């Protein structure tokens, strides 16, 4: 993970990979998910075993944080609130994975509903987030 981020410095670990890094999923990702700003293109990127997502520039930096990789190296990842919003946006969202992650978030001591709702508004998933929160709270 560290080497991928060194090679593609604009890539931010996201989606199911971020859930794994935060301990919200016990499934080790078979393919790492990374998000890049729209327009970022490197020919060698297509050769990597990465699930590539591109976002508009105004949303690219929203929620970037750092965590330690499984090897102990600092890597950039979207925070858990941004990650939850991102997995809600995906059309191929695994409902079981989303439900499990949302339940763990609601039970977490580090939860920040204000931040989650703010991101949900910006990323246009507020109704979906509110539906999950309504059921879980």
């Amino acid at each position: 993970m560290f080497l991928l981020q060194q090679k593609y410095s604009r890539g931010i670990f996201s989606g199911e990979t971020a859930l794994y890094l935060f301990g919200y999923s016990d499934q080790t990702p078979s393919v790492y998910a990374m998000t890049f700003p729209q327009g970022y293109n490197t020919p060698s990127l297509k050769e990597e075993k990465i699930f590539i997502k591109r976002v508009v520039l105004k949303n690219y930096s929203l929620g970037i944080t750092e965590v330690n990789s499984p090897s102990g190296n600092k890597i950039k990842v979207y925070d858990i609130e941004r990650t939850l919003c991102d997995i809600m946006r995906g059309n191929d969202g695994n409902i079981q994975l989303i439900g499990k992650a949302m339940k763990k978030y609601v039970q977490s001591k580090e939860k920040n509903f204000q931040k989650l709702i703010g991101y949900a508004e910006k990323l246009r998933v507020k109704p979906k987030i509110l539906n999950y929160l309504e059921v879980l709270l």
Side-chain angles (χ1 to χ4, degrees):
M1 293 178 122
F2 178 73
L3 294 176
L4 279 172
Q5 199 154 68
Q6 292 300 301
K7 189 173 182 180
Y8 305 107
S9 61
R10 304 273 319 263
I12 311 298
F13 287 101
S14 57
E16 290 185 27
T17 304
L19 286 179
Y20 171 74
L21 290 168
F22 285 114
Y24 278 61
S25 172
D26 52 4
Q27 296 176 336
T28 304
S30 57
V31 175
Y32 295 126
M34 293 184 88
T35 299
F36 297 88
Q38 236 173 15
Y40 179 84
N41 197 8
T42 301
S44 64
L45 192 58
K46 290 179 172 61
E47 298 169 11
E48 301 286 353
K49 291 184 179 179
I50 302 173
F51 175 74
I52 301 165
K53 184 176 178 194
R54 290 189 172 81
V55 296
V56 293
L57 197 55
K58 72 175 186 170
N59 292 335
Y60 168 73
S61 60
L62 184 69
I64 295 176
T65 189
E66 285 189 339
V67 298
N68 288 328
S69 72
S71 303
N73 297 301
K74 290 274 184 203
I75 55 174
K76 290 184 285 184
V77 63
Y78 285 120
D79 63 20
I80 192 61
E81 289 82 8
R82 166 70 189 258
T83 298
L84 292 172
C85 290
D86 283 347
I87 63 172
M88 292 284 181
R89 289 186 82 187
N91 295 332
D92 59 344
N94 178 335
I95 293 173
Q96 190 175 21
L97 180 71
I98 293 169
K100 194 174 175 182
M102 286 296 294
K103 186 175 182 179
K104 186 165 183 164
Y105 180 76
V106 167
Q107 296 170 348
S108 168
K109 290 179 182 170
E110 289 85 34
K111 65 184 170 276
N112 183 335
F113 290 129
Q114 190 172 5
K115 184 193 268 189
L116 178 64
I117 299 301
Y119 286 176
E121 283 181 15
K122 289 178 183 172
L123 299 171
R124 299 182 189 161
V125 292
K126 187 176 177 182
K128 290 181 180 181
I129 292 288
L130 290 176
N131 283 341
Y132 273 93
L133 292 178
E134 185 178 330
V135 170
L136 294 170
L137 293 176

